C-alpha cells in the first residue's frame, strides 16, 4: 500500500507507533493490563506505554493460536483424505496442536502426569 | 511475593480474551488445559514485559520508562521488534472487542 511505501522510505519505528496508540483501545482492557504491569513494578504516566506492552503480549498469544490453527487444519486435511465427505468440521484447540507450536518458540510444555 | 488467588476476575478476563483470539483464529472449541496454559502465558508475558522494562529504566537512572526501554525489554526477551507488524495487528478488521469492566463509584467523603 502507499502507507507501506512511505514507511519503507522513512522507516517506521516503535515511537511512531506510540503516537498512533493515543485513542486506541486494546482487546484486553487497560485496567487489567495495568494491574499486571504494576505488579511487576512498571509505572508510567503515559498510558500509551502500557498499551504498547499489552499489544505486544496480545500479538504473541494471537500468533501462537494462529499457528496452532494451521497445524490443526493440516492435520484435519490429512485425516480427511480418503473419506467421502467432511461437513461441519469442528476445529478443537488441543494440547497436541499447541505443544509443537510452543516448542518452535522455544517453550517446552508438558502435560502434568496423571492429568485426565 | 504473595501470589494472588488463581481465580481472580482479571484472570477470567484474560481467559475471555484468549477465547476470543481462538475464535478469531478459526477454532470452535478450546480444551480447558490449553486455555489455562495460554492464560498463564499471557499473564507471565505481561508481567515479564513490565519487570524487564522497569529494569532497563532503572539501569539508565530514570524513573519514567521510554520507548527505548520497551524496545530493549522486548529484545532482551527474544521478541522481534516489528512496529509495522504491530501496527497491522492493532488495525486488523477482525479485532475482537470487550467492554471495560464496570467500576464502582468513589465513596462520598
Amino acid at each position: 500500500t502507499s502507507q507501506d511505501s512511505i514507511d519503507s522510505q522513512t522507516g517506521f519505528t516503535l515511537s511512531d507507533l506510540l503516537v498512533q496508540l493515543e485513542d486506541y483501545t486494546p482487546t484486553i482492557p487497560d485496567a487489567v493490563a495495568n494491574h499486571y504491569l504494576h505488579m511487576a513494578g512498571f509505572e508510567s504516566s503515559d498510558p500509551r506505554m502500557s498499551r504498547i506492552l499489552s499489544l505486544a503480549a496480545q500479538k504473541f498469544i494471537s500468533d501462537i493460536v494462529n499457528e496452532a490453527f494451521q497445524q490443526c487444519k493440516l492435520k484435519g486435511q490429512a485425516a480427511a483424505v480418503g473419506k467421502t465427505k467432511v461437513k461441519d468440521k469442528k476445529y478443537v484447540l488441543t494440547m497436541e496442536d499447541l505443544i509443537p507450536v510452543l516448542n518452535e518458540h522455544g517453550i517446552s510444555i508438558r502435560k502434568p502426569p496423571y492429568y485426565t | 511475593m504473595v501470589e494472588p488467588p488463581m481465580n481472580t476476575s482479571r484472570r477470567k478476563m484474560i481467559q475471555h480474551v484468549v477465547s476470543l483470539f481462538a475464535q478469531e483464529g478459526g477454532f470452535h472449541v478450546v480444551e480447558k488445559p490449553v486455555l489455562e496454559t495460554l492464560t498463564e502465558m499471557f499473564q507471565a508475558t505481561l508481567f515479564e514485559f513490565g519487570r524487564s522494562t522497569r529494569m532497563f529504566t532503572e539501569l539508565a537512572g530514570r524513573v519514567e520508562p521510554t520507548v527505548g526501554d520497551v524496545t530493549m525489554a522486548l529484545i532482551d526477551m527474544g521478541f522481534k521488534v516489528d512496529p509495522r507488524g504491530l501496527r497491522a495487528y492493532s488495525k486488523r478488521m477482525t479485532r475482537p472487542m470487550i467492554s471495560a469492566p464496570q467500576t464502582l463509584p468513589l465513596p462520598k467523603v
Side-chain angles (χ1 to χ4, degrees):
Chain A
T1 59
S2 60
Q3 183 71 52
D4 282 337
S5 63
I6 294 166
D7 290 345
S8 57
Q9 286 162 14
T10 55
F12 185 73
T13 60
L14 214 59
S15 36
D16 296 324
L17 179 70
L18 198 76
V19 178
Q20 300 181 6
L21 291 177
E22 186 70 60
D23 309 310
Y24 180 73
T25 35
T27 307
I28 186 109
D30 279 340
V32 178
N34 280 336
H35 170 260
Y36 289 105
L37 291 173
H38 285 171
M39 230 161 70
F42 177 92
E43 293 271 1
S44 177
S45 54
D46 189 353
R48 299 175 300 176
M49 214 57 99
S50 57
R51 261 176 222 159
I52 214 163
L53 288 175
S54 102
L55 197 66
Q58 279 174 50
K59 187 168 187 293
F60 175 54
I61 298 295
S62 222
D63 283 350
I64 285 171
V65 171
N66 286 334
E67 279 170 41
F69 184 66
Q70 297 306 323
Q71 287 255 350
C72 183
K73 220 162 78 172
L74 281 174
K75 215 171 68 180
Q77 275 173 359
V81 171
K83 282 183 186 166
T84 48
K85 221 179 196 177
V86 185
K87 56 178 178 182
D88 295 338
K89 173 109 182 70
K90 271 211 167 174
Y91 290 108
V92 183
L93 179 51
T94 57
M95 238 19 198
E96 284 70 47
D97 296 324
L98 190 72
I99 287 168
V101 176
L102 289 181
N103 282 340
E104 258 175 51
H105 282 261
I107 302 160
S108 114
I109 244 164
R110 236 165 276 129
K111 248 189 184 179
Y114 312 112
Y115 190 84
T116 49
Chain B
M1 201 185 79
V2 180
E3 280 294 314
M6 287 302 277
N7 265 321
T8 59
S9 49
R10 294 185 187 90
R11 208 182 154 86
K12 278 183 184 165
M13 204 145 234
I14 295 181
Q15 283 187 348
H16 189 170
V17 172
V18 170
S19 315
L20 283 173
F21 286 159
Q23 197 182 33
E24 188 196 356
F27 286 107
H28 297 102
V29 184
V30 181
E31 274 185 357
K32 187 81 182 159
V34 177
L35 187 61
E36 280 298 327
T37 306
L38 289 176
T39 305
E40 194 62 38
M41 275 176 64
F42 190 101
Q43 213 176 285
T45 311
L46 208 52
F47 187 91
E48 192 55 29
F49 276 162
R51 199 194 63 84
S52 200
T53 307
R54 176 80 188 162
M55 287 301 142
F56 278 106
T57 311
E58 285 184 358
L59 184 67
R62 283 182 268 106
V63 281
E64 192 68 27
T66 62
V67 181
D69 298 330
V70 173
T71 312
M72 284 304 287
L74 289 173
I75 293 170
D76 192 46
M77 284 174 69
F79 283 85
K80 193 177 148 218
V81 181
D82 177 18
R84 271 176 229 174
L86 269 180
R87 182 183 55 185
Y89 178 76
S90 70
K91 290 189 173 166
R92 71 199 193 280
M93 296 303 284
T94 53
R95 186 159 67 94
M97 289 295 294
I98 53 171
S99 53
Q102 298 259 319
T103 47
L104 286 170
L106 286 171
K108 282 175 194 156
V109 184

